[in-house]
Amino acid sequence: MLSSDQHHTMDFNVKKLASDAGVFFTRAVQFTEEKLGQAEKTELDAHLENLISRGDGTKNWTEKILRQTEVLLQPNPSARIEEYIYDKLDKKLPSKATNAELLGQYMLDAAAEFGPETPYGSTLITVGEYQKRLGGAERELLHTSATTFLTPLRNFLEGDWRTISKERRLLENRRLDLDICKARVKKAKQAEAKAAAAPDFQETRPRNYVLSASASALQSGWESWDLTAEPNVSEEGKLLSEEVDKAEHELRVAQTEFDRQAEVTRLLLEGISSTHLNHLRCLQDFAEAQATYYAQCHHYMQDLQRELSRCANSVSGPASAAICPNPVSSAFLSGPSIGAAVSSSSSSSSNQKPRTPTMEQMQLPVTGARKAKVLYDYDAHDVSELSLLADELITVYTVLGMDPDWLIGERGNDKGKVPVTYLELLS
């Protein structure tokens, strides 16, 4: 059996549920009639409408930028879903190696199997180490971008914007309530004016007629009605007047609540300007993280090319031959145009052992003189080489018996060997 308190609580919940359902239904009717043009709608002021439009644009574009940045940083959709699940569970995602780090580790494992002292094994070790460095730089980019860019954008969508959306929904409900009260006042005044202009006996006749119990009254037809059957027009007018007063009071309350909610919503939406400033700083941090990452990648690849080039051309003595017994072709590193130049240069000397040209050999007749653009900075390792600066133009040519991975470069009166992998040969 339920106690009296439980019965009271249950009755209260049922009444509240019925009341909420009634309010919801009334609002739904008002909203539908507005859409059909059958009811008047209170319009928001222009400033608030502009703020709402600006807020919607901020939310929509923030969502798009956030999603596309996530795709850029993590192209694998399965990995993104896993990160999202861990984030929702408020758990730290287990540390995973980047793709470049995995590739580097595979190369090192392959070198261990093939033999690190073999030409292929030693090159695998060199390239693998640099792949792991590239992976480390990528990991740092992911961490920095998540902290300084993705997290603030996500916090806005899941924090500030949810609050704004909640208050905007409440504002819309307050507006519907206000328009319902306006319609109610209008109908009450119309009924009052109609009753005052032309009172209708049938409409105003009281319903509590009293029949006389006397037999003579029953036989006399209309004489059987009590004198109270006369219409009470003043009482009906009083009821209509009270209805108007009640509707106007509810309208004033609804107007006050609407104005208060409009002000709250306006203040929240004006905070979007601060959101823009915050996102601007986050955007600058993201761009700086990208610049750092790409600079590191460029630096690592320059060092890798320099090491591979040095390994490929350090064959003048037994010791260096033991370190790099199988030089890496520069055609593999420099792309089609440089590869073609190398293959054409090496066709005439394929049966000759490459050797480092002496200064006397540099005085021999030149072949294939042409202009070249320097791709990367290069520091000369000895007096026979020419230091280079990125983006400068020099003249290059070959001499008889020269290693095909190298050219002779000239810049004014300066002359020396330059690696083909650092050049873009111009026609």
Side-chain angles (χ1 to χ4, degrees):
M1 296 292 293
L2 296 177
S3 65
S4 59
D5 290 340
Q6 289 175 323
H7 275 293
H8 178 74
T9 302
M10 182 177 296
D11 291 341
F12 175 78
N13 291 337
V14 171
K15 290 179 180 179
K16 185 177 185 302
L17 181 63
S19 175
D20 292 343
V23 171
F24 176 81
F25 177 76
T26 307
R27 289 171 178 169
V29 171
Q30 174 69 22
F31 181 81
T32 303
E33 290 180 348
E34 288 174 358
K35 291 298 182 182
L36 297 176
Q38 299 174 354
E40 297 181 1
K41 175 182 177 181
T42 300
E43 299 294 339
L44 304 177
D45 65 81
H47 176 61
L48 184 54
E49 288 284 5
N50 289 335
L51 289 176
I52 291 175
S53 176
R54 187 165 179 249
D56 288 337
T58 300
K59 179 256 186 182
N60 293 335
W61 284 112
T62 300
E63 282 183 335
K64 291 181 180 179
I65 292 172
L66 175 63
R67 286 197 299 266
Q68 194 56 36
T69 304
E70 290 174 335
V71 172
L72 173 67
L73 297 175
Q74 178 52 269
N76 187 341
S78 299
R80 290 200 304 273
I81 293 175
E82 184 180 10
E83 291 174 358
Y84 176 80
I85 292 174
Y86 271 90
D87 181 65
K88 289 303 178 183
L89 295 176
D90 199 19
K91 292 184 178 180
K92 186 178 180 181
L93 183 68
S95 180
K96 288 187 176 181
T98 62
N99 291 328
E101 288 175 319
L102 285 174
L103 175 60
Q105 189 59 50
Y106 290 161
M107 289 181 174
L108 295 179
D109 294 342
E113 181 173 337
F114 298 141
E117 72 284 349
T118 63
Y120 184 36
S122 62
T123 306
L124 279 171
I125 291 176
T126 301
V127 178
E129 289 292 349
Y130 276 94
Q131 292 300 322
K132 295 185 74 172
R133 294 184 188 181
L134 291 171
E138 181 184 358
R139 182 191 297 277
E140 182 63 26
L141 170 67
L142 296 176
H143 174 72
T144 304
S145 299
T147 303
T148 62
F149 189 60
L150 296 180
T151 298
L153 265 60
R154 195 176 291 114
N155 287 344
F156 164 72
L157 293 173
E158 297 178 357
D160 293 350
W161 184 252
R162 284 189 178 180
T163 301
I164 292 174
S165 298
K166 178 181 176 182
E167 296 300 329
R168 280 180 57 184
R169 287 193 299 269
L170 189 56
L171 175 64
E172 179 65 9
N173 289 338
R174 292 287 180 265
R175 185 197 64 74
L176 289 171
D177 293 342
L178 175 63
D179 289 333
I180 290 169
C181 289
K182 287 182 177 179
R184 192 174 296 155
V185 169
K186 184 177 180 181
K187 290 178 181 179
K189 287 185 176 181
Q190 287 175 346
E192 183 183 36
K194 184 177 180 181
D200 186 3
F201 179 82
Q202 295 297 327
E203 291 182 357
T204 58
R205 180 191 299 273
R207 298 178 183 271
N208 56 341
Y209 299 114
V210 180
L211 287 174
S212 172
S214 64
S216 60
L218 288 172
Q219 295 175 357
S220 61
W222 286 101
E223 294 178 359
S224 63
W225 298 99
D226 196 286
L227 293 176
T228 58
E230 293 298 325
N232 192 348
V233 177
S234 60
E235 182 179 351
E236 184 71 13
K238 181 179 179 181
L239 291 174
L240 290 173
S241 178
E242 290 177 354
E243 184 68 22
V244 171
D245 292 341
K246 180 181 178 182
E248 288 180 338
H249 172 72
E250 291 177 350
L251 175 61
R252 287 191 295 271
V253 173
Q255 184 70 56
T256 300
E257 292 180 349
F258 170 77
D259 292 340
R260 183 186 300 114
Q261 186 59 38
E263 180 66 13
V264 171
T265 307
R266 181 186 65 79
L267 291 174
L268 288 173
L269 287 169
E270 285 178 347
I272 293 291
S273 297
S274 299
T275 299
H276 285 190
L277 290 176
N278 183 40
H279 289 182
L280 183 151
R281 289 189 291 268
C282 295
L283 194 62
Q284 291 173 333
D285 293 338
F286 176 58
E288 183 177 348
Q290 283 185 305
T292 301
Y293 168 68
Y294 289 120
Q296 285 179 319
C297 291
H298 179 68
H299 173 71
Y300 290 148
M301 293 312 298
Q302 275 190 314
D303 289 347
L304 175 59
Q305 284 190 313
R306 190 175 292 117
E307 285 199 26
L308 293 177
S309 179
R310 185 184 304 121
C311 180
N313 293 281
S314 299
V315 293
S316 58
S320 59
I323 298 175
C324 301
N326 186 16
V328 180
S329 171
S330 62
F332 174 76
L333 300 172
S334 55
S337 62
I338 298 178
V342 171
S343 60
S344 62
S345 300
S346 60
S347 60
S348 61
S349 58
S350 59
N351 297 327
Q352 299 180 8
K353 182 179 179 180
R355 59 185 182 274
T356 303
T358 62
M359 293 305 294
E360 289 77 9
Q361 287 176 311
M362 293 181 187
Q363 305 302 323
L364 294 175
V366 302
T367 58
R370 60 199 301 187
K371 291 291 185 180
K373 180 182 177 181
V374 178
L375 299 175
Y376 320 105
D377 293 345
Y378 177 75
D379 295 327
H381 295 91
D382 54 51
V383 293
S384 67
E385 297 180 1
L386 179 67
S387 295
L388 303 174
L389 294 175
D391 297 328
E392 69 173 330
L393 294 178
I394 62 173
T395 301
V396 295
Y397 52 85
T398 60
V399 297
L400 183 62
M402 186 174 179
D403 185 339
D405 291 339
W406 292 75
L407 295 173
I408 301 300
E410 282 190 359
R411 186 201 307 109
N413 296 326
D414 297 329
K415 181 189 300 184
K417 292 191 307 173
V418 291
V420 174
T421 56
Y422 282 70
L423 304 174
E424 177 185 353
L425 300 179
L426 306 176
S427 57

